Amino acid sequence: MQFPALRSHWPLTILMGASSLLNLFLPLILVRILPVEQVGLYKIFFLYAATAPWLLLSSGFGNGIYFWIGQNTTRKQSLSATWSYQLIWSTCVLLITGLLAPFIANLKFFAIDNSTFFMLGLSIAATISASFFEEYKIASGDIHKAAKYSAFWEALKTIGLASAALYFRSFDSIIAAYTLIICCKFVISNFLVLKNKFAAFSLKNNTQAKAVLKYALPSSGAAALAVVLGYCDQFILGYYLSASAFAIYSLGCLSIPPLLIFEQSVNKVMLPALTESFARNSRDAWKVVRTAMIDLGMWLIPAALGLFFFAGPITRMLFTDKYPETESFLRIYCFYYLAFVVPYDAWARAQGSSQWIFRTTAMFAVLSLLGTLLGVHLAGAYGALILFLASQFSIRIYSLFQMRKKLQWSLRQLIPFVVLSRSVFFSFLLGAITSYGISFFSNEKLGLVIMGLTFWLCYVLICVPWALRHERLEAQSKNVLLLTQYLNIGGLERMILNLSHELKIHGQWNPSVFVYDEITGSETLDAVFKEIQITRVSKGRGFAWKLPFQIARHCRQQYIHQIHAHDLGALIYAVLAKWASFGKLRIIYTQHSFVHLKKGFKYSVYENFFSKRADVLTVVSASLKEGYVQKGFKPTKVLLIENGIPFPRPLQNTEQKKQLKNELLRSYVQAADQKFWVLYLARLHPGKGQTEALDIWEKLLPKLREKCLLVIVGAETFPDYKNLLIDKIAQASNKQSIVLAGSTLQPEKWLQASDLLLSASTEEGLPLSPLEALSISIPVFLSDIPGHRIFSKYAEYFSLNDSAAAANKLSELIQKGLNQDIHVEKPGDILQRFTVERMAQEYARIYAEKSFTKAVL
């Protein structure tokens, strides 16, 4: 099952949220240096500045960018028309401002003077088209650059306003600084649009001009009504209350920019994915909305309940004791953030259903307006706030039922009930405990900081993985990521290749491969993966701190919920990616060999620690399982899944074998077809036994070596190991009898051309080469280690501690081969046991399991 790619909103949320967090400090400065009345004027000015672009019907053009960016054939003309309309709207707003400014002081509704009104109009005009550049970048997927650009201007605005407030200590200086910064953004943003040719001013000959206007006006109207819906309490109370009383109310209704930006970021990233999903008539479009609700709920719920329990200490720390009523307002207003968990109009925007958005918003805007007026009449500011919040939840409940009706999405599909209920339960419990803990501190501010950090730390480490556990099980996709350090020629990599192809053939699972390192100059298996998607990143030398986040982001974008990690390095990055995704990923770890433990004690520590963090631990041989049991792992927690391979076909006759020998080694050795080939097929890595094999080869009788070739085939996976082998070969007595052939994409050809397979490996899990050799009746001569004991019926063994005895035994086997006196029994039981079909079926069963081991997060 394929899912639409969903880009991560976190770069946008983190960068913009961090910069906008500075906005929280501005009111803290103002309440300490300005009179209460001027604080109220500041709040009124920015209420108008924030809402006027929407009230003036300009927002539909910006929203349309996310819709038009997905229309491949008309994208350029649509975006150009959008930008042109924004510039025209800005010009009209500026002209109207100039006409009304001389008369504004006579209008009771505005509590500002003529000059302030002119600066308000100028900043609104600049805002309308200043955002085109960043909105275009977000919609087109360049989220990192958009986030940096937006964060820069947000930070500049906040720092500029704070500096003006501290230096001039006047309301007028703050407004002037704000206007200047917005105008600068207008100039630079539009310059970048023209420079990068994102759009051009064109309406007259633009075939999309009418379509853009038709889409934008209803959307803009809906946005204007949404402003009424979302700000009617402040508009009404700004009129009924004095400036000082309004300051107390608006400070109590604490606006937290990072939370608002987080909600906007999730929706901005969700909308293109939802639009694409609808365009493809995907039946799984509901999963995009559900994922967004999970993201929103997991962070907005604890934020809202945290504000509820910590309202008193927060308001006293922020606004001093001069504003005691702000605590009561905040305890009510905090629930406003819970309404954002439901992205009520995203589905309609993604379908271009602006009429539905307009009608629905108009209906609830009227209800909100009437309800707020009724609340003011019955209970003043408190009544207005309560009925205002009721309207916010009502429109979202209505939207959920409309989605169910029009799109036939069930509420159980759409709403992550388990995740949200767990988050509510844990946040409420944790908020009650930590807020009570503040009373034990003599300094309330210190108590707030410590208990607040405790609240979030416990929530992130305990609640988030617990809450997402059910979602991970319920929404598990059929995509699985095979994670490996290299994709060069080797047994581990060939196992990944075989498993991927077999999973793809049966179609139950959709495998993809993620490779995070490469060996320069070494051939890779990429070309033979065919329809299997391969993603490569280059981590560089040493540990890569960014890699876990890259893996987590890749899994999120591709709707991958399971990582199948191969070898210890891949496991470490997979576990860290799981932590980075707050437990959303399931880790299956397959251990192929313990050869890495010989590199140092720290690798044993890593193995013990990270293996216990995998959800499922599998090994490829009984000896590896026994190794884990000796380390203290329960036998039931270590699953044995032996590797399977597609066995090569034997050649039909001796002549074919001679031709193949010449084809493979003509450039290395004259008359290669006349030699007896001893093949060493393994990656070039310490512990794989090439140096030991050369020591054995050196002890063969010279006359016998002249009749033979030791052919070493494999890719280098350890720095400078190949050079070590080259130096050792150069010092050999008969170096002409040794060929270092390099890596290959066709190991079966080398096996078919060979007469005997040699392996002097010091550590193996389940080696593939002896399996393949025995399947085509080639004799095998193996080091006597646990990993090779599986072939005891069919192989000859030697001790690694006695190279002379090994050489004598090898001499006997070669002599028998030269005399054509070797009989190899075809291992029928092994061939049935180690099929690739059986291996793929066993891993598919593990992928499909709904039970998870209790992996420590």
Side-chain angles (χ1 to χ4, degrees):
M1 187 181 294
Q2 296 296 318
F3 300 92
L6 185 61
R7 302 182 183 97
S8 175
H9 62 84
W10 285 111
L12 200 63
T13 300
I14 293 171
L15 284 174
M16 291 184 64
S19 59
S20 66
L21 189 62
L22 297 172
N23 286 331
L24 284 175
F25 293 98
L26 194 56
L28 308 187
I29 297 171
L30 298 181
V31 297
R32 287 164 171 80
I33 65 174
L34 294 180
V36 177
E37 181 144 346
Q38 286 204 13
V39 174
L41 291 175
Y42 162 84
K43 286 289 187 178
I44 291 172
F45 177 90
F46 280 99
L47 170 64
Y48 297 152
T51 59
W54 280 264
L55 292 172
L56 294 171
L57 306 180
S58 69
S59 62
F61 299 107
N63 292 338
I65 294 172
Y66 296 90
F67 177 73
W68 300 117
I69 203 79
Q71 313 300 315
N72 294 327
T73 56
T74 60
R75 178 188 302 169
K76 186 69 174 179
Q77 288 182 310
S78 300
L79 293 175
S80 293
T82 297
W83 184 60
S84 301
Y85 281 126
Q86 285 184 327
L87 291 176
I88 291 172
W89 244 251
S90 295
T91 304
C92 291
V93 169
L94 197 58
L95 291 173
I96 293 171
T97 300
L99 293 173
L100 291 180
F103 312 104
I104 198 64
N106 299 323
L107 298 177
K108 184 182 177 183
F109 188 78
F110 292 96
I112 52 180
D113 58 25
N114 295 359
S115 61
T116 303
F117 178 78
F118 182 78
M119 285 189 284
L120 174 64
L122 182 59
S123 62
I124 293 168
T127 299
I128 289 173
S129 62
S131 61
F132 182 92
F133 176 76
E134 61 199 70
E135 300 286 359
Y136 177 91
K137 299 294 281 184
I138 295 170
S140 60
D142 199 352
I143 295 174
H144 285 82
K145 287 185 180 178
K148 291 175 184 177
Y149 186 81
S150 296
F152 167 78
W153 286 106
E154 192 68 27
L156 181 63
K157 181 186 73 175
T158 306
I159 293 170
L161 268 60
S163 301
L166 289 170
Y167 187 80
F168 295 103
R169 294 179 176 266
S170 71
F171 166 70
D172 292 337
S173 63
I174 297 172
I175 305 309
Y178 173 77
T179 305
L180 177 62
I181 292 170
I182 294 299
C183 289
C184 289
K185 182 180 179 181
F186 168 83
V187 173
I188 293 174
S189 296
N190 286 293
F191 170 76
L192 291 173
V193 171
L194 290 171
K195 179 184 177 183
N196 292 284
K197 298 181 180 179
F198 293 155
F201 190 88
S202 63
L203 287 177
K204 185 176 180 180
N205 298 319
N206 193 326
T207 57
Q208 284 297 107
K210 287 184 179 180
V212 168
L213 197 62
K214 186 177 179 180
Y215 176 92
L217 286 181
S219 178
S220 295
L225 291 169
V227 168
V228 176
L229 177 67
Y231 290 89
C232 63
D233 64 318
Q234 295 192 48
F235 288 131
I236 292 171
L237 293 176
Y239 180 77
Y240 279 103
L241 301 179
S242 65
S244 57
F246 182 76
I248 294 172
Y249 174 81
S250 59
L251 290 173
C253 297
L254 183 63
S255 177
I256 304 179
L259 292 181
L260 299 177
I261 287 174
F262 167 65
E263 185 266 338
Q264 293 166 10
S265 300
V266 172
N267 279 280
K268 287 179 178 180
V269 172
M270 172 186 60
L271 192 55
L274 193 56
T275 302
E276 178 189 346
S277 188
F278 281 137
R280 292 190 294 105
N281 294 318
S282 172
R283 295 181 179 180
D284 299 308
W286 60 271
K287 292 188 177 182
V288 179
V289 180
R290 182 185 175 97
T291 300
M293 290 181 68
I294 292 171
D295 282 343
L296 292 166
M298 286 304 300
W299 304 108
L300 292 178
I301 289 171
L305 293 178
L307 288 173
F308 176 81
F309 283 104
F310 291 94
I314 287 173
T315 53
R316 284 189 288 274
M317 184 179 75
L318 295 180
F319 310 125
T320 72
D321 294 329
K322 294 190 297 183
Y323 303 87
E325 281 189 274
T326 55
E327 177 183 348
S328 301
F329 286 122
L330 181 56
R331 285 195 188 277
I332 301 171
Y333 182 79
C334 66
F335 294 102
Y336 175 62
Y337 293 107
L338 295 180
F340 290 120
V341 173
V342 179
Y344 78 95
D345 67 343
W347 66 275
R349 289 169 62 190
Q351 289 190 322
S353 302
S354 52
Q355 295 295 331
W356 182 92
I357 300 172
F358 183 82
R359 288 195 304 269
T360 302
T361 310
M363 177 174 65
F364 281 93
V366 171
L367 291 175
S368 179
L369 191 61
L370 294 175
T372 305
L373 286 169
L374 179 63
V376 171
H377 178 72
L378 295 176
Y382 289 103
L385 180 56
I386 291 171
L387 290 182
F388 163 74
L389 293 180
S391 68
Q392 300 302 306
F393 285 97
S394 297
I395 190 172
R396 284 162 171 82
I397 293 171
Y398 174 79
S399 176
L400 284 173
F401 283 95
Q402 285 291 295
M403 277 189 268
R404 185 180 71 168
K405 178 182 177 181
K406 294 183 179 295
L407 302 174
Q408 280 151 23
W409 295 347
S410 72
L411 294 182
R412 187 181 179 278
Q413 279 181 320
L414 194 60
I415 304 174
F417 287 107
V418 173
V419 174
L420 299 183
S421 60
R422 286 181 176 181
S423 180
V424 169
F425 169 78
F426 198 86
S427 298
F428 190 90
L429 179 65
L430 196 56
I433 294 171
T434 52
S435 62
Y436 178 73
I438 295 178
S439 61
F440 292 96
F441 290 83
S442 57
N443 187 313
E444 186 182 58
K445 293 179 182 177
L446 178 63
L448 174 62
V449 172
I450 293 176
M451 288 294 101
L453 289 174
T454 302
F455 174 93
W456 281 108
L457 191 63
C458 293
Y459 181 82
V460 169
L461 294 180
I462 301 174
C463 179
V464 172
W466 175 57
L468 292 178
R469 183 182 181 86
H470 179 271
E471 185 65 20
R472 185 175 59 178
L473 293 171
E474 289 296 318
Q476 181 174 306
S477 74
K478 292 297 183 181
N479 299 332
V480 61
L481 185 71
L482 279 67
L483 182 65
T484 179
Q485 181 174 7
Y486 302 114
L487 206 58
N488 300 87
I489 315 303
L492 183 155
E493 291 81 2
R494 288 166 62 201
M495 177 268 188
I496 293 173
L497 172 67
N498 296 332
L499 176 60
S500 299
H501 278 164
E502 194 64 27
L503 290 171
K504 192 75 173 179
I505 288 170
H506 290 284
Q508 294 179 347
W509 291 91
N510 180 35
S512 60
V513 179
F514 192 101
V515 190
Y516 60 85
D517 210 345
E518 61 181 344
I519 302 172
T520 305
S522 181
E523 201 169 6
T524 70
L525 286 170
D526 292 42
V528 294
F529 270 80
K530 297 180 181 178
E531 295 180 359
I532 308 296
Q533 178 186 345
I534 298 176
T535 302
R536 280 190 172 273
V537 298
S538 181
K539 77 175 185 66
R541 294 182 65 85
F543 187 81
W545 292 102
K546 293 194 301 183
L547 185 57
F549 299 98
Q550 291 175 304
I551 295 170
R553 182 172 67 247
H554 176 80
C555 290
R556 175 187 171 83
Q557 291 172 343
Q558 301 299 322
Y559 283 90
I560 294 169
H561 298 111
Q562 302 196 70
I563 297 179
H564 189 169
H566 296 266
D567 221 350
L568 177 60
L571 171 67
I572 293 173
Y573 286 117
V575 170
L576 295 178
K578 179 178 181 177
W579 293 349
S581 66
F582 299 105
K584 290 183 181 179
L585 297 171
R586 183 183 187 223
I587 308 300
I588 297 96
Y589 173 42
T590 295
Q591 178 57 272
H592 295 260
S593 158
F594 282 142
V595 67
H596 56 278
L597 300 184
K598 297 182 179 181
K599 294 194 289 185
F601 175 73
K602 66 179 181 180
Y603 291 94
S604 180
V605 175
Y606 295 156
E607 184 70 54
N608 290 337
F609 180 83
F610 286 100
S611 294
K612 292 175 181 177
R613 272 72 194 167
D615 294 285
V616 179
L617 173 60
T618 70
V619 293
V620 299
S621 70
S623 61
L624 290 175
K625 180 170 183 174
E626 181 60 29
Y628 277 114
V629 172
Q630 291 176 2
K631 292 175 181 291
F633 287 73
K634 293 181 179 179
T636 56
K637 297 298 183 182
V638 185
L639 305 181
L640 174 59
I641 301 180
E642 294 171 319
N643 285 342
I645 57 172
F647 296 107
R649 297 178 179 178
L651 296 179
Q652 297 299 317
N653 53 56
T654 305
E655 189 59 34
Q656 285 182 330
K657 193 164 192 170
K658 288 183 177 181
Q659 290 177 0
L660 185 56
K661 284 183 176 182
N662 277 327
E663 176 189 328
L664 294 173
L665 283 186
R666 188 185 298 276
S667 60
Y668 289 91
V669 181
Q670 292 294 326
D673 60 324
Q674 303 300 319
K675 302 284 186 179
F676 183 93
W677 282 24
V678 177
L679 178 65
Y680 204 105
L681 183 61
R683 58 193 173 101
L684 307 186
H685 194 283
K688 298 305 286 184
Q690 286 89 353
T691 55
E692 289 80 359
L694 290 173
D695 290 336
I696 295 171
W697 194 258
E698 184 68 17
K699 290 182 170 62
L700 291 178
L701 294 174
K703 290 183 178 180
L704 190 60
R705 281 201 303 261
E706 291 176 0
K707 302 176 182 179
C708 303
L709 282 178
L710 175 61
V711 183
I712 301 174
V713 179
E716 183 183 31
T717 59
F718 189 84
D720 295 327
Y721 189 70
K722 183 177 181 180
N723 291 333
L724 173 67
L725 294 179
I726 291 173
D727 291 342
K728 196 171 182 66
I729 291 170
Q731 297 169 13
S733 301
N734 189 355
K735 58 187 178 183
Q736 292 80 11
S737 67
I738 304 170
V739 176
L740 192 59
S743 62
T744 180
L745 292 176
Q746 297 175 309
E748 67 277 1
K749 283 191 173 184
W750 293 92
L751 285 163
Q752 290 168 337
S754 298
D755 302 293
L756 185 145
L757 179 77
L758 169 65
S759 174
S761 179
T762 61
E763 184 75 47
E764 285 289 353
L766 179 62
L768 300 184
S769 299
L771 273 175
E772 294 169 312
L774 289 169
S775 73
I776 54 176
S777 301
I778 294 175
V780 293
F781 188 45
L782 309 175
S783 54
D784 192 1
I785 59 173
H788 282 153
R789 272 294 157 189
I790 193 172
F791 310 112
S792 58
K793 288 185 187 178
Y794 311 100
E796 295 287 341
Y797 291 93
F798 63 91
S799 171
L800 287 168
N801 298 322
D802 192 345
S803 58
N808 291 335
K809 211 166 188 180
L810 179 59
S811 297
E812 293 176 8
L813 289 172
I814 293 173
Q815 195 61 54
K816 287 182 179 180
L818 289 170
N819 297 332
Q820 297 184 348
D821 192 27
I822 292 183
H823 173 70
V824 178
E825 182 183 350
K826 200 163 187 176
D829 57 336
I830 290 181
L831 297 184
Q832 292 178 1
R833 178 177 171 182
F834 295 104
T835 63
V836 69
E837 293 83 3
R838 185 269 316 155
M839 176 185 70
Q841 288 172 4
E842 292 192 24
Y843 279 116
R845 177 180 54 79
I846 289 177
Y847 298 156
E849 284 178 352
K850 290 294 184 180
S851 60
F852 288 70
T853 60
K854 294 183 179 179
V856 180
L857 290 171

